[in-house]
């Protein structure tokens, strides 16, 4: 929610007459725009929330037609949005169900069986009052990237371009509209070069990564095996830090920070594995 509060303050600093700020958010998993919904529920003067998708448009189909129907993933130039089921969407559905956990549970059990969740009538009207939506395919994404580079000298990443496309499709290009960007365009050189050639010089911190050695470890798709692998890595790191602490006498803070980071990684892996198992 921090993005929304910070953006609201910057927009209203520049435009004191603005009473509400709207947001267009590129999304696949629904987490970022859900934070905007919560910010609005908390009292932040948010106007419209626009769900911007690529060809993997399960969210757009829901908000436009009430059809949350699972389909095969289409591989696009905005890969972080290549999602066939949005892992955070249940959180919003809970509120749409009137905060009724039993009702939500039935919806999701039926969805897991049929791969379809359909709403209509008052429920669809409520969803559409909470969110607008738009779909942006690859051709449109590249067109928007080129247009904004040619006209403004600003290079959008393929994800951010879907959010910008959405405000044009919905005719919401106004000073009180914020399009959330998702990444530096230099992370996607092959895609961006299809619209902008030659590419801008990437930041040195990013360009150096392309020449570094890639390290990876492969594990089978088994939760216990992955957990054991991570625990082993933690033990190795802890032993290294303990040795460094003994030799320098000043590594306690570093060890604590690393432990916190590793714990966060374990949590992320556990959540990811559970989400994968549910699919």
């Amino acid at each position: 929610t921090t993005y929304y509060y910070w953006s609201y303050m910057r927009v209203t600093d520049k435009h004191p007459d603005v009473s509400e700020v709207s947001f267009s958010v590129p999304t696949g998993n629904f987490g970022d725009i859900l934070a905007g919904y919560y910010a609005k529920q908390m009292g932040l003067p948010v106007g419209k929330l626009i769900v911007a998708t690529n060809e993997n448009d399960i969210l757009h189909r829901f908000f436009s037609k009430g059809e949350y129907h699972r389909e095969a993933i289409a591989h696009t130039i905005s890969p972080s949005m290549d999602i066939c089921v949005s892992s955070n969407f249940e959180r919003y559905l809970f509120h749409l169900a009137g905060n009724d956990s039993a009702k939500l549970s039935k919806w999701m059990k039926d969805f897991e069986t049929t791969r379809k969740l359909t709403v209509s009538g008052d429920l669809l009207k409520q969803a559409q009052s909470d969110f607008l939506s738009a779909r942006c395919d690859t051709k449109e994404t590249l067109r928007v990237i080129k247009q904004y580079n040619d006209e403004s000298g600003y290079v959008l990443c393929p994800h951010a371009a879907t959010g910008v496309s959405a405000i044009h499709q919905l005719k919401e290009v106004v000073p009180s509209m914020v399009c959330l960007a998702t990444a530096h365009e230099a992370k996607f050189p092959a895609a961006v070069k299809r619209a902008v050639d030659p590419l801008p010089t990437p930041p040195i911190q990013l360009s150096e990564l392309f020449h570094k050695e890639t390290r990876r470890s492969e594990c089978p798709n088994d939760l216990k095996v992955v957990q054991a692998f991570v625990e082993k890595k933690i033990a190795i790191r802890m032993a290294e830090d303990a040795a460094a602490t003994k030799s320098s006498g000043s590594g306690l803070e570093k060890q604590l920070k690393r432990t916190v980071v590793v714990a966060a990684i374990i949590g992320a892996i556990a959540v990811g594995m559970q989400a994968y198992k549910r699919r």
Side-chain angles (χ1 to χ4, degrees):
T1 57
T2 304
Y3 307 142
Y4 296 90
Y5 280 88
W6 188 92
S7 299
Y8 175 84
M9 290 187 287
R10 298 292 77 77
V11 171
T12 53
D13 283 347
K14 189 172 183 180
H15 303 280
D17 58 322
V18 169
S19 59
E20 291 184 337
V21 176
S22 297
F23 296 87
S24 179
V25 186
T27 187
N29 264 328
F30 204 73
D32 202 348
I33 196 164
L34 182 66
Y37 174 79
Y38 286 150
K40 188 173 184 177
Q41 298 302 306
M42 291 164 65
L44 184 68
V46 173
K48 298 173 181 177
L49 291 168
I50 299 176
V51 174
T53 76
N54 60 16
E55 289 93 328
N56 297 286
D57 60 351
I58 187 170
L59 292 171
H60 173 57
R61 284 183 277 117
F62 178 82
F63 288 110
S64 59
K65 299 185 292 184
E67 298 176 354
Y68 191 70
H69 298 179
R70 179 172 180 169
E71 296 180 353
I73 291 178
H75 297 286
T76 75
I77 61 172
S78 46
S80 296
M81 297 161 62
D82 290 348
I83 305 295
C84 64
V85 175
S86 302
S87 60
N88 290 291
F89 195 53
E90 287 179 52
R91 301 172 190 267
Y92 170 68
L93 289 177
F94 172 71
H95 301 299
L96 188 62
N99 295 350
D100 186 334
S101 58
K103 189 173 188 177
L104 173 64
S105 178
K106 184 179 186 309
W107 281 358
M108 299 318 298
K109 286 178 181 177
D110 290 345
F111 177 74
E112 290 177 4
T113 301
T114 65
R115 302 163 71 95
K116 294 181 180 181
L117 169 62
T118 305
V119 299
S120 58
D122 290 342
L123 284 177
L124 179 56
K125 289 179 182 178
Q126 179 60 52
Q128 291 173 335
S129 71
D130 290 333
F131 298 93
L132 300 176
S133 68
R135 177 186 188 273
C136 177
D137 62 19
T138 296
K139 182 179 179 180
E140 169 67 2
T141 300
L142 294 172
R143 187 196 68 77
V144 170
I145 294 173
K146 185 177 189 308
Q147 176 187 344
Y148 271 73
N149 179 66
D150 292 346
E151 297 180 359
S152 306
Y154 187 92
V155 183
L156 293 160
C157 96
H159 306 78
T162 67
V164 173
S165 172
I167 68 171
H168 285 279
Q169 292 181 52
L170 298 171
K171 297 180 172 52
E172 294 287 348
V173 184
V174 292
S176 58
M177 174 64 70
V178 174
C179 296
L180 296 192
T182 52
H184 196 287
E185 84 281 348
K187 291 179 65 178
F188 310 96
V192 175
K193 193 171 184 179
R194 293 168 62 179
V196 177
D197 192 9
L199 292 170
T201 301
I204 188 170
Q205 298 92 333
L206 187 58
S207 61
E208 286 181 346
L209 295 178
F210 295 124
H211 308 292
K212 292 186 179 293
E213 178 186 358
T214 299
R215 294 176 294 176
R216 71 174 188 179
S217 300
E218 295 186 5
C219 294
N221 184 18
D222 184 289
L223 180 59
K224 291 184 177 180
V225 172
V226 173
Q227 288 175 332
F229 172 81
V230 173
E231 289 170 358
K232 180 179 178 181
K233 287 292 184 181
I234 292 174
I236 293 172
R237 292 284 183 88
M238 295 292 284
E240 291 174 348
D241 286 346
T245 300
K246 287 182 179 180
S247 61
S248 66
S250 61
L252 183 58
E253 183 178 353
K254 179 180 177 182
Q255 181 178 349
L256 179 60
K257 288 181 178 178
R258 181 169 290 182
T259 302
V260 171
V261 170
V262 172
I265 293 172
I266 293 175
I269 290 174
V271 170
M273 291 293 291
Q274 290 298 323
Y276 182 85
K277 288 172 69 178
R278 289 180 60 186
R279 291 186 183 182

